[in-house]
Structure formats: C-alpha cells, structure tokens
Amino acid sequence: MNEVSDVRDWLRASPRVIALTGAGMSAESGIPTFRGLDGLWRNYNPQDLATPEAFERNPTVVWEWYDWRRGLIAAAEPNPGHYALAQLEATNHVSIISQNVDGLHTRAGSTHVIEIHGSIWRTRCTSCDRTQSNLKPHLTTLPPLCEDCGQLLRPGVVWFGENLPPMAWEASVEAVSTADILLVIGTSGIVYPAAQLVPIAKDAGAKVVEINLEATALSSQVDATLLGPSGQILPKLVQ
Ligand code: BJW
Ligand code: ZN
C-alpha cells in the first residue's frame, strides 16, 4: 500500500482540512524541538523556564531564553512543509491549529492559524494585561517593562499550568469537530489539552493522519501514520 497516495486521495475527498502542528513542523527550519535528541528540554529544565513560577523567581533568566529563541526564529525561514500547507488553501478549506509560537505558518502564507500556545512575538504586561506585538529579533532591555504602567512584561506564550486562551481553544474544538480530515504534524502528543483535539476529531467523525519521524503517544488513535520529515511528506501530499 502506498500510504502517501492513499492520504492524497483522502485529502481530495476532504473539503475541510485541519492541521494540528507541533515543534517537528519547524525542525527543518532549524528551530529545535522540545523533546527530541537535540530538543530544548535536553539542555534546559522546563520547570526553570516555562512555568509562571519560574518567571516569578527569575524573570531575567526566562527572558534571556525567550530572547535567544526569538533570534533563532527571526533568522529562520518557513520550510517546504509550511509552504505545502499554505498551498493546500488553493483546493481545500484549511485551518491550522499550531502549538508553535514561531509564526512560521503565517510567514508561509497560511491565512487561518490558531496559535493555542500563544506567540513568541507578543508581550503581555503582568500588571495591566496590555498585549503588544513586538517583532524585533532581540529586545533592547531584559526584562522588558510596560510602556503604560512600568511593570514587568512577560512573553505572550502559554506555560505549564496555565490555561490556553479560551477563544483559541474554543475555536480549535469547533474546527476539529467539523473537520473531514485532521493532519497531526510533528508533535509528540503528550501535552494537554492540545493532544485532546485528536480524540475530539475522531469522535466527531474525522479521519486522522499523523506525520512524524516516529510513532507517538497518539499513533494508536490515528487512521494512518506517515513516517518521515514533514518538510518532505507534506509537499508530496499537496502535489
Ligand atoms: C518531526 C520532525 C520532522 C521532529 N518532521 N516530525 C500532570 C501534571 C501536571 C500538569 C499536567 C499533567 N497532565 C496534564 C497536565 C497539564 C500540562 C501537560 O500537558 N503536561 C504534560 C507534559 C504531562 N498542560 C498544561 O499545563 C497546559 N495547560 C493546562 O492544562 O491548563 C489547565 C491547567 C491549569 C492549572 C493546572 C493544570 C492544568 C499548558 C501547556 C502549555 C505548553 N507550553 C509549551 C511552551 C510554550 C511556549 C514556548 O514555546 O516556550 O508548549 S511546552 C512545549 O510542549 C510547547 C509545545 O507547544 C508543547 C508541545 O510540544 P511538541 O510541539 O509536541 O514538541 P515535542 O518536542 O514534544 O515533539 C516534537 C515531535 O516532532 C516529535 O514527535 C518528533 O518525533 C517530531 N519531529 N522533527 C516531522 N522534521
Ligand atoms: Zn502594563
């Protein structure tokens, strides 16, 4: 069985496509994943960097890590996988639910992108909640302070133990509930509630296809797994 050509046929018969993407989607752009061999969590402890408690303890250390990642991402380009998903909009109704904070889907031209873990390009005031877009690769002073109230700004991302932005989460549940096919791309599927979108889609009748270098926590729930780099598989699916 040629699974790539089978999934290509499924896509042709699926007007509404949802893609749930994770760090593996951007790996071929040179952005490290979290849990892979050279993943961010191999060198850094998430408890020290990606929790509200870590930020309260040491905002400068957390900001230095995010500022380093901003520099990496600013220097990166979308890869053929990002462009293939953007190109799919020519033939299908496509929404992307991304756990990534890098903004590369939008840079590749995708127009319906829900960022469920926020964006590294936004800051939010810890006091007055003012949210701002800041596209500079590096911030001038760390930690940055709010121009309105002078209090500490934080990265506009979702840390462990924090709720996802309610509107983004509701839109995601709605999207997978009405999907014909869900593509689950480059995610280990162990972070919740993002991973919950897979059973929600399945229960609502969507076909689920996983694209990953290896089997994941979600593999037993999907209709097909395409093993390989998403930057190579997605262009073949969209051809
Ligand atoms: C390729 C490839 C290529 C490589 N091609 N593939 C038990 C205890 C405590 C908490 C919990 C618990 N159970 C559940 C929770 C809640 C917690 C959670 O899920 N924890 C688990 C880890 C156990 N979740 C939360 O806290 C969430 N909030 C929440 O639940 O609110 C309610 C609540 C409130 C109060 C208390 C408790 C609950 C929020 C989760 C936020 C996650 N945040 C991060 C950081 C975002 C900002 C940032 O970027 O800095 O999000 S953590 C990190 O993980 C990041 C990612 O978006 C997320 C998912 O990772 P992802 O994308 O899957 O990456 P990897 O590295 O894991 O996988 C990469 C994959 O790609 C691999 O499979 C590779 O094989 C593959 N790959 N190259 C294709 N070329
Ligand atoms: Zn403020």
Side-chain angles (χ1 to χ4, degrees), residues 89-126:
E89 290 190 12
T91 48
N92 300 65
H93 180 93
V94 184
S95 293
I96 296 172
I97 302 169
S98 190
Q99 299 171 81
N100 300 341
V101 298
D102 56 34
L104 289 183
H105 287 297
T106 306
R107 275 173 60 192
S110 286
T111 56
H112 301 287
V113 184
I114 306 172
E115 296 180 314
I116 52 174
H117 291 163
S119 168
I120 202 161
W121 303 116
R122 275 198 301 273
T123 58
R124 190 167 81 240
C125 178
T126 54

mmCIF file of all heavy atoms in Angstrom, residues 89-126:
data_model
loop_
_atom_site.group_PDB
_atom_site.id
_atom_site.type_symbol
_atom_site.label_atom_id
_atom_site.label_comp_id
_atom_site.label_asym_id
_atom_site.label_seq_id
_atom_site.Cartn_x
_atom_site.Cartn_y
_atom_site.Cartn_z
ATOM 1 N N GLU A 89 -4.477 25.610 0.636
ATOM 2 C CA GLU A 89 -5.648 26.504 0.680
ATOM 3 C C GLU A 89 -6.223 26.750 -0.714
ATOM 4 O O GLU A 89 -7.358 27.199 -0.843
ATOM 5 C CB GLU A 89 -5.281 27.852 1.324
ATOM 6 C CG GLU A 89 -4.999 27.737 2.811
ATOM 7 C CD GLU A 89 -4.885 29.094 3.485
ATOM 8 O OE1 GLU A 89 -5.247 30.125 2.874
ATOM 9 O OE2 GLU A 89 -4.413 29.125 4.642
ATOM 10 N N ALA A 90 -5.441 26.470 -1.751
ATOM 11 C CA ALA A 90 -5.949 26.669 -3.120
ATOM 12 C C ALA A 90 -7.070 25.682 -3.434
ATOM 13 O O ALA A 90 -7.931 25.961 -4.262
ATOM 14 C CB ALA A 90 -4.809 26.521 -4.123
ATOM 15 N N THR A 91 -7.058 24.509 -2.764
ATOM 16 C CA THR A 91 -8.029 23.466 -3.120
ATOM 17 C C THR A 91 -8.945 23.057 -1.974
ATOM 18 O O THR A 91 -9.986 22.454 -2.198
ATOM 19 C CB THR A 91 -7.281 22.197 -3.601
ATOM 20 O OG1 THR A 91 -6.237 21.915 -2.658
ATOM 21 C CG2 THR A 91 -6.683 22.407 -4.984
ATOM 22 N N ASN A 92 -8.541 23.334 -0.728
ATOM 23 C CA ASN A 92 -9.324 22.877 0.422
ATOM 24 C C ASN A 92 -9.531 24.036 1.389
ATOM 25 O O ASN A 92 -8.784 25.013 1.367
ATOM 26 C CB ASN A 92 -8.578 21.764 1.168
ATOM 27 C CG ASN A 92 -8.309 20.542 0.305
ATOM 28 O OD1 ASN A 92 -7.572 20.622 -0.669
ATOM 29 N ND2 ASN A 92 -8.897 19.421 0.652
ATOM 30 N N HIS A 93 -10.524 23.887 2.266
ATOM 31 C CA HIS A 93 -10.658 24.840 3.360
ATOM 32 C C HIS A 93 -9.718 24.358 4.467
ATOM 33 O O HIS A 93 -9.918 23.274 5.021
ATOM 34 C CB HIS A 93 -12.109 24.893 3.852
ATOM 35 C CG HIS A 93 -12.278 25.863 4.966
ATOM 36 N ND1 HIS A 93 -12.656 27.168 4.766
ATOM 37 C CD2 HIS A 93 -12.067 25.723 6.288
ATOM 38 C CE1 HIS A 93 -12.670 27.789 5.924
ATOM 39 N NE2 HIS A 93 -12.324 26.927 6.867
ATOM 40 N N VAL A 94 -8.695 25.152 4.766
ATOM 41 C CA VAL A 94 -7.649 24.700 5.697
ATOM 42 C C VAL A 94 -7.583 25.617 6.917
ATOM 43 O O VAL A 94 -7.515 26.839 6.779
ATOM 44 C CB VAL A 94 -6.258 24.720 5.011
ATOM 45 C CG1 VAL A 94 -5.192 24.150 5.949
ATOM 46 C CG2 VAL A 94 -6.278 23.960 3.692
ATOM 47 N N SER A 95 -7.612 25.020 8.091
ATOM 48 C CA SER A 95 -7.282 25.776 9.309
ATOM 49 C C SER A 95 -6.130 25.081 10.000
ATOM 50 O O SER A 95 -6.082 23.852 10.049
ATOM 51 C CB SER A 95 -8.456 25.814 10.285
ATOM 52 O OG SER A 95 -9.502 26.567 9.756
ATOM 53 N N ILE A 96 -5.226 25.878 10.517
ATOM 54 C CA ILE A 96 -4.080 25.315 11.224
ATOM 55 C C ILE A 96 -4.205 25.645 12.702
ATOM 56 O O ILE A 96 -4.443 26.799 13.070
ATOM 57 C CB ILE A 96 -2.765 25.889 10.662
ATOM 58 C CG1 ILE A 96 -2.614 25.453 9.199
ATOM 59 C CG2 ILE A 96 -1.568 25.433 11.491
ATOM 60 C CD1 ILE A 96 -1.459 26.102 8.479
ATOM 61 N N ILE A 97 -4.083 24.604 13.522
ATOM 62 C CA ILE A 97 -4.035 24.804 14.969
ATOM 63 C C ILE A 97 -2.593 24.527 15.351
ATOM 64 O O ILE A 97 -2.127 23.392 15.243
ATOM 65 C CB ILE A 97 -4.980 23.821 15.696
ATOM 66 C CG1 ILE A 97 -6.421 23.990 15.189
ATOM 67 C CG2 ILE A 97 -4.892 24.016 17.203
ATOM 68 C CD1 ILE A 97 -7.365 22.880 15.647
ATOM 69 N N SER A 98 -1.862 25.559 15.715
ATOM 70 C CA SER A 98 -0.434 25.358 15.964
ATOM 71 C C SER A 98 -0.094 25.498 17.433
ATOM 72 O O SER A 98 -0.526 26.428 18.099
ATOM 73 C CB SER A 98 0.423 26.330 15.140
ATOM 74 O OG SER A 98 1.777 25.934 15.245
ATOM 75 N N GLN A 99 0.683 24.534 17.914
ATOM 76 C CA GLN A 99 1.244 24.652 19.273
ATOM 77 C C GLN A 99 2.512 25.497 19.229
ATOM 78 O O GLN A 99 3.072 25.830 20.270
ATOM 79 C CB GLN A 99 1.598 23.267 19.828
ATOM 80 C CG GLN A 99 0.415 22.329 19.959
ATOM 81 C CD GLN A 99 0.873 20.907 20.304
ATOM 82 O OE1 GLN A 99 1.149 20.600 21.457
ATOM 83 N NE2 GLN A 99 0.953 20.064 19.309
ATOM 84 N N ASN A 100 2.976 25.790 18.016
ATOM 85 C CA ASN A 100 4.230 26.535 17.890
ATOM 86 C C ASN A 100 3.990 28.029 18.092
ATOM 87 O O ASN A 100 2.953 28.558 17.707
ATOM 88 C CB ASN A 100 4.856 26.290 16.516
ATOM 89 C CG ASN A 100 5.151 24.822 16.301
ATOM 90 O OD1 ASN A 100 5.214 24.062 17.266
ATOM 91 N ND2 ASN A 100 5.309 24.418 15.061
ATOM 92 N N VAL A 101 5.014 28.672 18.635
ATOM 93 C CA VAL A 101 4.902 30.100 18.928
ATOM 94 C C VAL A 101 5.689 30.927 17.912
ATOM 95 O O VAL A 101 5.846 32.134 18.058
ATOM 96 C CB VAL A 101 5.410 30.401 20.367
ATOM 97 C CG1 VAL A 101 4.562 29.680 21.407
ATOM 98 C CG2 VAL A 101 6.886 30.024 20.531
ATOM 99 N N ASP A 102 6.202 30.258 16.850
ATOM 100 C CA ASP A 102 7.174 30.906 15.958
ATOM 101 C C ASP A 102 6.576 31.753 14.834
ATOM 102 O O ASP A 102 7.299 32.529 14.197
ATOM 103 C CB ASP A 102 8.144 29.862 15.377
ATOM 104 C CG ASP A 102 7.453 28.701 14.646
ATOM 105 O OD1 ASP A 102 6.395 28.926 14.022
ATOM 106 O OD2 ASP A 102 7.991 27.573 14.696
ATOM 107 N N GLY A 103 5.294 31.579 14.538
ATOM 108 C CA GLY A 103 4.659 32.388 13.490
ATOM 109 C C GLY A 103 5.032 31.979 12.068
ATOM 110 O O GLY A 103 4.695 32.695 11.116
ATOM 111 N N LEU A 104 5.669 30.814 11.894
ATOM 112 C CA LEU A 104 6.137 30.457 10.549
ATOM 113 C C LEU A 104 5.007 30.081 9.593
ATOM 114 O O LEU A 104 5.140 30.240 8.378
ATOM 115 C CB LEU A 104 7.174 29.327 10.618
ATOM 116 C CG LEU A 104 8.544 29.715 11.194
ATOM 117 C CD1 LEU A 104 9.510 28.531 11.143
ATOM 118 C CD2 LEU A 104 9.153 30.894 10.444
ATOM 119 N N HIS A 105 3.878 29.571 10.118
ATOM 120 C CA HIS A 105 2.754 29.272 9.214
ATOM 121 C C HIS A 105 2.267 30.548 8.523
ATOM 122 O O HIS A 105 2.009 30.570 7.335
ATOM 123 C CB HIS A 105 1.588 28.644 9.986
ATOM 124 C CG HIS A 105 1.835 27.235 10.397
ATOM 125 N ND1 HIS A 105 2.025 26.216 9.494
ATOM 126 C CD2 HIS A 105 1.914 26.659 11.627
ATOM 127 C CE1 HIS A 105 2.210 25.073 10.139
ATOM 128 N NE2 HIS A 105 2.152 25.312 11.440
ATOM 129 N N THR A 106 2.134 31.606 9.299
ATOM 130 C CA THR A 106 1.657 32.861 8.732
ATOM 131 C C THR A 106 2.680 33.408 7.745
ATOM 132 O O THR A 106 2.326 33.887 6.665
ATOM 133 C CB THR A 106 1.375 33.870 9.868
ATOM 134 O OG1 THR A 106 0.484 33.237 10.788
ATOM 135 C CG2 THR A 106 0.739 35.137 9.338
ATOM 136 N N ARG A 107 3.970 33.304 8.115
ATOM 137 C CA ARG A 107 5.005 33.785 7.186
ATOM 138 C C ARG A 107 4.996 32.998 5.881
ATOM 139 O O ARG A 107 5.372 33.523 4.831
ATOM 140 C CB ARG A 107 6.388 33.711 7.847
ATOM 141 C CG ARG A 107 6.670 34.953 8.691
ATOM 142 C CD ARG A 107 7.943 34.831 9.492
ATOM 143 N NE ARG A 107 9.131 34.638 8.696
ATOM 144 C CZ ARG A 107 10.311 34.276 9.196
ATOM 145 N NH1 ARG A 107 10.428 34.085 10.511
ATOM 146 N NH2 ARG A 107 11.350 34.116 8.421
ATOM 147 N N ALA A 108 4.551 31.720 5.933
ATOM 148 C CA ALA A 108 4.498 30.908 4.706
ATOM 149 C C ALA A 108 3.248 31.218 3.881
ATOM 150 O O ALA A 108 3.125 30.730 2.762
ATOM 151 C CB ALA A 108 4.533 29.420 5.052
ATOM 152 N N GLY A 109 2.306 31.988 4.459
ATOM 153 C CA GLY A 109 1.124 32.378 3.686
ATOM 154 C C GLY A 109 -0.179 31.735 4.128
ATOM 155 O O GLY A 109 -1.219 31.993 3.533
ATOM 156 N N SER A 110 -0.168 30.898 5.161
ATOM 157 C CA SER A 110 -1.426 30.336 5.661
ATOM 158 C C SER A 110 -2.262 31.451 6.285
ATOM 159 O O SER A 110 -1.716 32.309 6.993
ATOM 160 C CB SER A 110 -1.163 29.237 6.699
ATOM 161 O OG SER A 110 -0.693 28.072 6.066
ATOM 162 N N THR A 111 -3.574 31.409 6.037
ATOM 163 C CA THR A 111 -4.393 32.544 6.487
ATOM 164 C C THR A 111 -5.262 32.239 7.715
ATOM 165 O O THR A 111 -5.677 33.153 8.408
ATOM 166 C CB THR A 111 -5.302 33.058 5.354
ATOM 167 O OG1 THR A 111 -6.089 31.972 4.890
ATOM 168 C CG2 THR A 111 -4.482 33.619 4.202
ATOM 169 N N HIS A 112 -5.536 30.937 7.977
ATOM 170 C CA HIS A 112 -6.332 30.602 9.173
ATOM 171 C C HIS A 112 -5.431 29.854 10.150
ATOM 172 O O HIS A 112 -5.293 28.633 10.054
ATOM 173 C CB HIS A 112 -7.526 29.721 8.822
ATOM 174 C CG HIS A 112 -8.458 30.352 7.830
ATOM 175 N ND1 HIS A 112 -9.301 31.385 8.147
ATOM 176 C CD2 HIS A 112 -8.662 30.107 6.533
ATOM 177 C CE1 HIS A 112 -9.979 31.745 7.083
ATOM 178 N NE2 HIS A 112 -9.612 30.984 6.079
ATOM 179 N N VAL A 113 -4.819 30.591 11.059
ATOM 180 C CA VAL A 113 -3.890 29.966 12.004
ATOM 181 C C VAL A 113 -4.336 30.302 13.426
ATOM 182 O O VAL A 113 -4.492 31.467 13.780
ATOM 183 C CB VAL A 113 -2.441 30.476 11.795
ATOM 184 C CG1 VAL A 113 -1.483 29.743 12.729
ATOM 185 C CG2 VAL A 113 -2.000 30.311 10.341
ATOM 186 N N ILE A 114 -4.561 29.253 14.211
ATOM 187 C CA ILE A 114 -4.901 29.446 15.625
ATOM 188 C C ILE A 114 -3.667 29.070 16.440
ATOM 189 O O ILE A 114 -3.194 27.932 16.364
ATOM 190 C CB ILE A 114 -6.094 28.547 16.034
ATOM 191 C CG1 ILE A 114 -7.292 28.758 15.106
ATOM 192 C CG2 ILE A 114 -6.480 28.798 17.486
ATOM 193 C CD1 ILE A 114 -8.440 27.763 15.341
ATOM 194 N N GLU A 115 -3.156 30.026 17.208
ATOM 195 C CA GLU A 115 -1.931 29.775 17.982
ATOM 196 C C GLU A 115 -2.327 29.432 19.411
ATOM 197 O O GLU A 115 -2.484 30.326 20.248
ATOM 198 C CB GLU A 115 -1.016 31.001 17.930
ATOM 199 C CG GLU A 115 -0.521 31.288 16.511
ATOM 200 C CD GLU A 115 0.398 32.511 16.419
ATOM 201 O OE1 GLU A 115 0.059 33.557 17.015
ATOM 202 O OE2 GLU A 115 1.431 32.425 15.738
ATOM 203 N N ILE A 116 -2.482 28.119 19.685
ATOM 204 C CA ILE A 116 -3.050 27.768 21.001
ATOM 205 C C ILE A 116 -2.069 27.963 22.154
ATOM 206 O O ILE A 116 -2.492 28.042 23.299
ATOM 207 C CB ILE A 116 -3.647 26.331 21.035
ATOM 208 C CG1 ILE A 116 -2.652 25.306 20.527
ATOM 209 C CG2 ILE A 116 -4.960 26.260 20.300
ATOM 210 C CD1 ILE A 116 -3.177 23.883 20.683
ATOM 211 N N HIS A 117 -0.771 28.002 21.869
ATOM 212 C CA HIS A 117 0.204 28.278 22.936
ATOM 213 C C HIS A 117 0.778 29.690 22.830
ATOM 214 O O HIS A 117 1.837 29.983 23.388
ATOM 215 C CB HIS A 117 1.331 27.232 22.925
ATOM 216 C CG HIS A 117 0.870 25.861 23.355
ATOM 217 N ND1 HIS A 117 1.585 24.707 23.117
ATOM 218 C CD2 HIS A 117 -0.258 25.469 24.025
ATOM 219 C CE1 HIS A 117 0.926 23.671 23.620
ATOM 220 N NE2 HIS A 117 -0.192 24.104 24.173
ATOM 221 N N GLY A 118 0.066 30.558 22.103
ATOM 222 C CA GLY A 118 0.470 31.955 22.034
ATOM 223 C C GLY A 118 1.539 32.203 20.982
ATOM 224 O O GLY A 118 1.736 31.399 20.069
ATOM 225 N N SER A 119 2.224 33.338 21.133
ATOM 226 C CA SER A 119 3.220 33.744 20.141
ATOM 227 C C SER A 119 4.431 34.336 20.836
ATOM 228 O O SER A 119 4.302 35.148 21.762
ATOM 229 C CB SER A 119 2.618 34.789 19.207
ATOM 230 O OG SER A 119 3.639 35.372 18.426
ATOM 231 N N ILE A 120 5.610 33.956 20.353
ATOM 232 C CA ILE A 120 6.850 34.498 20.917
ATOM 233 C C ILE A 120 7.008 35.968 20.514
ATOM 234 O O ILE A 120 7.812 36.694 21.087
ATOM 235 C CB ILE A 120 8.057 33.640 20.480
ATOM 236 C CG1 ILE A 120 9.238 33.810 21.444
ATOM 237 C CG2 ILE A 120 8.485 33.936 19.038
ATOM 238 C CD1 ILE A 120 10.273 32.704 21.381
ATOM 239 N N TRP A 121 6.215 36.410 19.541
ATOM 240 C CA TRP A 121 6.295 37.793 19.040
ATOM 241 C C TRP A 121 5.341 38.732 19.754
ATOM 242 O O TRP A 121 5.180 39.881 19.360
ATOM 243 C CB TRP A 121 6.055 37.818 17.520
ATOM 244 C CG TRP A 121 7.044 36.939 16.831
ATOM 245 C CD1 TRP A 121 6.775 35.806 16.120
ATOM 246 C CD2 TRP A 121 8.477 37.094 16.800
ATOM 247 N NE1 TRP A 121 7.935 35.241 15.664
ATOM 248 C CE2 TRP A 121 9.000 36.021 16.059
ATOM 249 C CE3 TRP A 121 9.358 38.033 17.339
ATOM 250 C CZ2 TRP A 121 10.370 35.863 15.847
ATOM 251 C CZ3 TRP A 121 10.717 37.875 17.125
ATOM 252 C CH2 TRP A 121 11.210 36.803 16.388
ATOM 253 N N ARG A 122 4.666 38.221 20.807
ATOM 254 C CA ARG A 122 3.801 39.102 21.600
ATOM 255 C C ARG A 122 4.338 39.210 23.029
ATOM 256 O O ARG A 122 4.929 38.274 23.547
ATOM 257 C CB ARG A 122 2.364 38.548 21.639
ATOM 258 C CG ARG A 122 1.537 38.967 20.419
ATOM 259 C CD ARG A 122 0.040 38.810 20.673
ATOM 260 N NE ARG A 122 -0.349 37.455 21.004
ATOM 261 C CZ ARG A 122 -0.646 36.531 20.098
ATOM 262 N NH1 ARG A 122 -0.599 36.807 18.819
ATOM 263 N NH2 ARG A 122 -0.989 35.323 20.482
ATOM 264 N N THR A 123 4.094 40.358 23.627
ATOM 265 C CA THR A 123 4.394 40.516 25.051
ATOM 266 C C THR A 123 3.084 40.863 25.759
ATOM 267 O O THR A 123 2.154 41.397 25.140
ATOM 268 C CB THR A 123 5.396 41.662 25.301
ATOM 269 O OG1 THR A 123 4.840 42.874 24.777
ATOM 270 C CG2 THR A 123 6.733 41.404 24.626
ATOM 271 N N ARG A 124 3.028 40.515 27.036
ATOM 272 C CA ARG A 124 1.829 40.869 27.818
ATOM 273 C C ARG A 124 2.281 41.436 29.157
ATOM 274 O O ARG A 124 3.190 40.899 29.792
ATOM 275 C CB ARG A 124 0.970 39.618 28.025
ATOM 276 C CG ARG A 124 -0.382 39.930 28.593
ATOM 277 C CD ARG A 124 -1.334 38.757 28.501
ATOM 278 N NE ARG A 124 -1.129 37.797 29.575
ATOM 279 C CZ ARG A 124 -0.808 36.528 29.406
ATOM 280 N NH1 ARG A 124 -0.644 36.030 28.208
ATOM 281 N NH2 ARG A 124 -0.647 35.730 30.445
ATOM 282 N N CYS A 125 1.642 42.525 29.568
ATOM 283 C CA CYS A 125 2.018 43.134 30.846
ATOM 284 C C CYS A 125 1.490 42.279 31.999
ATOM 285 O O CYS A 125 0.336 41.842 31.984
ATOM 286 C CB CYS A 125 1.456 44.556 30.939
ATOM 287 S SG CYS A 125 1.851 45.338 32.510
ATOM 288 N N THR A 126 2.359 42.037 32.988
ATOM 289 C CA THR A 126 1.950 41.220 34.139
ATOM 290 C C THR A 126 0.999 41.986 35.058
ATOM 291 O O THR A 126 0.367 41.404 35.922
ATOM 292 C CB THR A 126 3.178 40.789 34.966
ATOM 293 O OG1 THR A 126 3.912 41.973 35.295
ATOM 294 C CG2 THR A 126 4.067 39.832 34.197
#
